[in-house]
Amino acid sequence: MRQKLRERLADPTHRMMWRNFSSSIGLLTIAMMAALYSSSAGRGGRLAPAGIAALIALSIAIWVAIRFVPRLASNVEWDWLPFFSQYKITREGWIYFGAVTIVVFAAVNTSNNLLYMVLSALIAVILLSGFLSGINFRFLRMEARPPAQCFAGEPFPISFLVENEKRLFPSFSLHIAPYDDNAFRFTTFYTAAVQAEQHAVQTGEAMLARRGRYVMEKVKVISRYPFGFFEKYRNYRVDAECICYPQIIPQEGIDFSVIDTQGSSQLFERGLGCDLYTIRDYLPSDTARNVHWKASAKTATLKTREYAAEESRRVLLALDRFGREDDSERFEGLVSYAASIAYHLINDGVEVAFVSDDWQTGYGSSKSVLEAILQYLALVNMTPTALPPSKYANDGAVVFSLR
């Protein structure tokens, strides 16, 4: 707790806040002294000094209200005020308020002291509910932990850390739900209790419908603690980010007929392939496992095999970013198709290079190459001014275009 206090005191924002607070208190003290002097001078008949002192006090107060009050208000946590929090009366709450209404009418009509005592206790329960609910939401810190990357249309795990920074009081019955205005959706999490100065981690599933960069700025925490009369909502900042890759189409839904993905082609030169290139005389530097025993027996001299080199499987993929406003859905399908072909080819060991008018990558079949291609496709945007991919087609590339 002391370490967090030191960090807050070292924060320039907090230092500026205390500086503004001290300046406003000093100026208001001067204004109060000028007001007191104006009152005293007015009672003594000194109208001119009284008017000047009153004008000085008023000017200082206006200056503090314009210069310092907005700055101080921007650093205040207003969520403890009822009208800054969202409440929803539950079914149990309506029943309770109905009982309170009946007791109110009965107490007023009968003037019975016992009913007034019962009414006081019922109202005290409502006030206690608001007080405990406020404490339940105080000093909570939320942290979202989505994966750095995911695929559109596929569920992925996401976890939330709930830390209770209170020193004495635990927090009970917390539901963590997506923020209303955020496109990042996930299943609602429930935490029964988080002890003081402890934390809890909950894991669930989320899913994003479209590719792109998603930022989760806030989450909504809901609780019916303590008596269930109200559902209270409060938003907490989490500041998490996730890049959603395009949707991957299964191999059965892709036509690979235009791409040779079956085996490697033999080159007419020596190499480390599997096909036989020639049989020659054995040299002392050759390995014994390549000795051709049948040819050696026929010629009475040791013969060794040489193998032909194999041509690496390489595919060049080119994306045409051309598209107009009404081509949005078609472009999304094109990007998903390009990402799917790159995904399946690289997983099959094919060296893939990807090019467009504003980005390109070299040949490779590693995971890093695939991630670079998928990340580019996750964030690529169409434009009506994109260059045509004609030169890529001349190089034997597989071109994805809406033209």
Side-chain angles (χ1 to χ4, degrees):
M1 198 72 178
R2 294 179 179 177
Q3 180 65 25
K4 292 180 180 178
L5 181 60
R6 295 193 191 98
E7 291 177 358
R8 289 185 177 181
L9 293 176
D11 189 1
T13 303
H14 282 80
R15 289 204 302 268
M16 183 62 66
M17 181 188 68
W18 282 109
R19 188 180 305 167
N20 293 331
F21 177 76
S22 303
S23 301
S24 60
I25 290 296
L27 291 173
L28 290 176
T29 301
I30 296 173
M32 184 181 66
M33 294 175 61
L36 292 175
Y37 175 78
S38 175
S39 177
S40 175
R43 285 195 299 268
R46 293 172 291 170
L47 299 180
I52 294 174
L55 184 61
I56 292 174
L58 181 61
S59 301
I60 293 176
I62 294 175
W63 174 251
V64 170
I66 295 175
R67 181 68 183 271
F68 295 102
V69 170
R71 297 181 181 179
L72 295 173
S74 63
N75 294 285
V76 176
E77 295 183 359
W78 298 101
D79 292 320
W80 63 276
L81 295 175
F83 49 83
F84 278 95
S85 299
Q86 298 178 354
Y87 286 90
K88 177 183 177 183
I89 301 177
T90 62
R91 184 171 61 89
E92 295 80 2
W94 285 115
I95 295 174
Y96 187 85
F97 281 113
V100 172
T101 303
I102 294 173
V103 174
V104 167
F105 281 106
V108 171
N109 291 331
T110 61
S111 299
N112 190 318
N113 291 334
L114 179 60
L115 289 177
Y116 279 113
M117 293 176 63
V118 172
L119 179 61
S120 300
L122 294 176
I123 295 175
V125 169
I126 297 175
L127 296 177
L128 180 63
S129 175
F131 175 74
L132 293 178
S133 177
I135 292 179
N136 196 49
F137 279 93
R138 294 282 288 173
F139 299 109
L140 289 179
R141 186 177 69 86
M142 302 289 168
E143 182 179 334
R145 296 173 176 176
Q149 302 91 17
C150 65
F151 290 93
E154 295 184 8
F156 57 89
I158 183 173
S159 62
F160 282 87
L161 181 143
V162 184
E163 184 176 1
N164 183 9
E165 297 180 345
K166 295 189 287 291
R167 300 187 63 180
L168 296 176
F169 297 99
S171 293
F172 298 99
S173 186
L174 301 175
H175 293 263
I176 305 173
Y179 185 60
D180 295 335
D181 298 334
N182 201 325
F184 209 119
R185 315 306 293 177
F186 54 86
T187 55
T188 302
F189 300 87
Y190 176 73
T191 301
V194 183
Q195 299 297 325
E197 297 185 336
Q198 299 293 326
H199 67 271
V201 178
Q202 297 291 334
T203 303
E205 283 190 351
M207 189 171 69
L208 298 172
R210 298 175 68 91
R211 65 181 180 88
R213 187 189 303 274
Y214 289 83
V215 177
M216 186 191 304
E217 297 180 351
K218 298 179 182 179
V219 294
K220 182 169 65 175
V221 179
I222 309 168
S223 179
R224 299 179 63 174
Y225 178 80
F227 305 124
F229 298 153
F230 304 94
E231 275 190 356
K232 183 178 180 181
Y233 305 81
R234 184 173 174 182
N235 299 321
Y236 290 86
R237 295 196 65 86
V238 291
D239 293 329
E241 183 178 301
C242 178
I243 295 179
C244 184
Y245 292 157
Q247 184 177 6
I248 300 300
I249 303 172
Q251 278 187 305
E252 297 77 16
I254 299 177
D255 182 14
F256 288 100
S257 60
V258 296
I259 307 173
D260 180 19
T261 59
Q262 305 298 322
S264 300
S265 302
Q266 178 181 339
L267 291 179
F268 193 68
E269 59 184 34
R270 295 179 180 87
L272 300 177
C274 298
D275 296 321
L276 183 63
Y277 175 70
T278 188
I279 298 176
R280 59 171 175 79
D281 292 338
Y282 179 81
L283 298 176
S285 59
D286 294 332
T287 176
R289 69 178 59 183
N290 290 336
V291 172
H292 196 290
W293 296 108
K294 284 187 177 182
S296 300
K298 289 181 179 180
T299 60
T301 58
L302 283 176
K303 299 290 184 178
T304 186
R305 302 182 185 91
E306 278 192 343
Y307 294 96
E310 290 184 346
E311 181 182 10
S312 299
R313 297 182 295 170
R314 288 187 171 188
V315 175
L316 177 63
L317 304 179
L319 175 68
D320 184 8
R321 296 192 306 125
F322 174 81
R324 300 184 179 90
E325 293 183 1
D326 55 349
D327 294 329
S328 177
E329 292 301 325
R330 295 175 59 208
F331 185 76
E332 291 299 320
L334 190 72
V335 170
S336 178
Y337 198 80
S340 301
I341 288 183
Y343 179 85
H344 293 303
L345 290 179
I346 290 179
N347 284 337
D348 288 341
V350 180
E351 292 188 359
V352 175
F354 200 95
V355 295
S356 66
D357 62 331
D358 64 341
W359 186 82
Q360 66 178 3
T361 183
Y363 283 98
S365 59
S366 63
K367 184 178 179 181
S368 60
V369 173
L370 177 60
E371 289 181 352
I373 295 174
L374 292 177
Q375 184 166 352
Y376 170 75
L377 292 176
L379 306 176
V380 67
N381 294 316
M382 65 179 182
T383 174
T385 61
L387 298 176
S390 56
K391 71 171 185 177
Y392 306 134
N394 295 333
D395 294 337
V398 180
V399 180
F400 305 93
S401 177
L402 295 179
R403 297 180 192 267

